[in-house]
């Protein structure tokens, strides 16, 4: 969410009515989340000036660990230097820390491609936004799950009940510090996640939603009593329920 919001912001800055705007003091502390969108808190160090040049050798974009040769345009300006400077700063301050570990396994190759392409400045902001929007579509639609085997058949579903919530085993990246609360596309994906975790014996797909509209599922290892809840469904592993009174 943070990276996508940042890319949308940089897309606007690259195509603003004032021209391409560069953030000269590009640091995480300069941004804040407001209603799920990333905002710049200080525009004092923003500039529309692009580096003047006479030849291509005048247009090297330097960073502490990398340098990028750019072209000198016919009007004597380094082509796209403001856009590329913003994008590489987004890569080194945000993408490298947030992208590699924050998506389902099936989507990580797409994020790895974005990471590599922006790290080498092979993508401009237009291509980067398009790539992010593609990942978002796959994530929200569940298309990345198409080839997975069916796991829900391994579970007994009990409608109208839920399990007593409390502190349980932890997982990452959980939305709760008390237990394992993860975003899922459906009960089928939740079943696949539960099967992949040795501690998991049951799960509930809750009414809570993330910023993408996906529900949160609570995974549990404890065997606790069921309590009535007309809007809930408990999924219990058949192996866990075998021989027990439900």
């Amino acid at each position: 969410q943070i990276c996508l919001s940042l890319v949308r912001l940089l897309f606007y800055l690259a195509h603003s009515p004032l021209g391409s705007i560069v953030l000269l003091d590009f640091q995480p502390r300069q941004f804040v989340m407001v209603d799920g969108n990333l905002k710049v808190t200080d525009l004092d160090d923003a500039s529309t000036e692009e580096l003047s040049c006479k030849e291509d050798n005048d247009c090297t974009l330097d960073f502490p660990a990398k340098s990028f040769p750019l072209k000198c345009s016919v009007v004597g300006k380094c082509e796209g230097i403001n856009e590329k400077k913003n994008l590489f700063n987004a890569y080194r301050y945000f993408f490298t820390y947030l992208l590699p570990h924050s998506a389902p396994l099936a989507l990580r190759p797409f994020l790895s491609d974005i990471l590599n392409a922006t790290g080498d400045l092979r993508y401009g902001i237009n291509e980067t936004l398009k790539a992010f929007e593609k990942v978002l579509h796959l994530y929200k639609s569940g298309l990345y799950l198409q080839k997975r085997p069916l796991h829900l058949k391994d579970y007994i579903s009990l409608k109208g009940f839920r399990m007593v919530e409390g502190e349980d085993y932890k997982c990452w990246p959980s939305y709760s510090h008390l237990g394992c609360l993860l975003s899922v596309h459906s009960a089928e994906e939740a079943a696949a996640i539960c099967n992949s975790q040795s501690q998991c014996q049951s799960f509930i797909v809750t009414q809570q939603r993330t910023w993408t509209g996906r529900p949160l599922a609570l995974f549990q290892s404890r065997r606790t009593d069921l309590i009535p809840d007309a809007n809930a469904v408990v999924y219990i592993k058949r192996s866990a329920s075998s021989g027990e009174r439900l």
Side-chain angles (χ1 to χ4, degrees):
Q1 180 182 15
I2 294 172
C3 292
L4 174 62
S5 186
L6 176 59
V7 169
R8 286 172 173 167
L9 173 62
L10 297 187
F11 179 85
Y12 173 78
L13 294 179
H15 302 285
S16 83
L18 299 176
S20 182
I21 298 175
V22 63
L23 301 177
L24 299 175
D25 186 19
F26 197 115
Q27 300 283 340
R29 65 173 179 268
Q30 299 282 48
F31 299 90
V32 64
M33 290 292 286
V34 179
D35 296 327
N37 294 305
L38 207 66
K39 306 286 186 181
V40 182
T41 60
D42 185 3
L43 289 174
D44 289 344
D45 293 310
S47 174
T48 58
E49 292 295 321
E50 292 195 304
L51 186 64
S52 297
C53 58
K54 293 183 178 180
E55 56 184 27
D56 290 349
N57 287 339
D58 298 329
C59 292
T60 300
L61 183 56
D62 289 317
F63 291 96
K66 279 190 174 183
S67 295
F68 300 96
L70 303 180
K71 296 291 186 181
C72 182
S73 71
V74 293
V75 295
K77 298 290 183 180
C78 296
E79 289 184 357
I81 191 167
N82 287 352
E83 172 188 329
K84 293 179 183 297
K85 188 171 184 178
N86 283 341
L87 189 55
F88 190 78
N89 277 327
Y91 159 80
R92 66 181 184 138
Y93 287 118
F94 287 89
F95 297 172
T96 54
Y97 298 104
L98 299 178
L99 286 186
H101 315 293
S102 57
L105 286 174
L107 292 179
R108 290 183 188 178
F110 295 96
L111 296 180
S112 180
D113 287 344
I114 294 174
L115 196 64
N116 292 333
T118 53
D120 294 334
L121 284 185
R122 288 185 285 109
Y123 279 1
I125 191 61
N126 294 356
E127 295 86 355
T128 303
L129 179 58
K130 184 177 179 180
F132 266 101
E133 295 285 3
K134 177 182 178 180
V135 175
L136 178 64
H137 172 68
L138 294 173
Y139 185 62
K140 293 175 69 173
S141 65
L143 289 173
Y144 66 95
L145 297 169
Q146 283 183 342
K147 296 182 179 180
R148 290 193 174 188
L150 298 177
H151 295 279
L152 206 54
K153 67 182 187 310
D154 299 330
Y155 292 80
I156 296 171
S157 62
L158 299 174
K159 296 181 180 180
F161 293 94
R162 63 181 173 86
M163 301 186 80
V164 178
E165 295 181 21
E167 189 168 353
D168 207 325
Y169 77 94
K170 311 297 191 300
C171 67
W172 192 91
S174 177
Y175 283 78
S176 170
H177 67 280
L178 295 176
C180 186
L181 186 66
L182 300 175
S183 165
V184 297
H185 177 260
S186 61
E188 178 59 45
E189 184 179 16
I193 293 173
C194 190
N195 278 0
S196 70
Q197 298 175 345
S198 60
Q199 307 100 312
C200 185
Q201 298 298 320
S202 65
F203 66 88
I204 304 167
V205 180
T206 74
Q207 300 298 308
Q208 296 174 267
R209 301 275 169 172
T210 69
W211 66 281
T212 60
R214 286 163 53 103
L216 294 177
L218 177 65
F219 300 89
Q220 296 180 305
S221 64
R222 297 176 296 107
R223 313 250 179 108
T224 59
D225 294 332
L226 301 179
I227 56 177
D229 187 334
N231 298 317
V233 181
V234 176
Y235 296 88
I236 303 176
K237 276 184 180 178
R238 293 182 182 276
S239 57
S241 64
S242 179
E244 295 184 6
R245 183 173 59 86
L246 297 176

